[in-house]
Amino acid sequence: MALPRPVVPWVSLALTFFSLGLPIYAIFRGSETAWTVRLGWLFVGAGAVLQATMIVAARVVFRDNGVGAGLCLAAGQAGLLTWCLGAGGLVSRLMK
């Protein structure tokens, strides 16, 4: 995607915040949750479905090209973090 040169640092900063800061904050907030086995499996299932769906969409719909494919793959990474959070919640139920 072509952007005017003066805008590039601001766009880079915003993308860095969303791709690094937001997931860390989400995991921090998720650690405060009173996890149950059902909630853990819900997060694992929803995250896995989101990740798989976004990868397929990037490959089939956008043919791994362009901004749409990049956005789908970024959403797929959000799915990865979601199911990892659920897996961590499930592991926390095993520990006393």
Side-chain angles (χ1 to χ4, degrees):
M1 171 163 35
L3 294 171
R5 190 173 294 277
V7 175
V8 171
W10 296 106
V11 171
S12 178
L13 182 66
L15 289 174
T16 299
F17 170 75
F18 283 112
S19 65
L20 294 176
L22 205 56
I24 291 169
Y25 178 72
I27 291 172
F28 173 74
R29 293 301 304 240
S31 69
E32 297 174 343
T33 303
W35 286 95
T36 63
V37 173
R38 182 175 180 208
L39 183 62
W41 282 114
L42 178 68
F43 269 68
V44 168
V49 167
L50 177 64
Q51 183 180 18
T53 302
M54 291 297 105
I55 290 171
V56 168
R59 297 212 170 145
V60 174
V61 175
F62 296 104
R63 307 223 186 272
D64 282 332
N65 291 320
V67 176
L71 292 174
C72 284
L73 292 174
Q77 293 302 306
L80 171 68
L81 288 172
T82 302
W83 73 259
C84 287
L85 178 63
L90 288 171
V91 168
S92 75
R93 296 301 304 155
L94 297 174
M95 295 183 196
K96 295 206 179 219

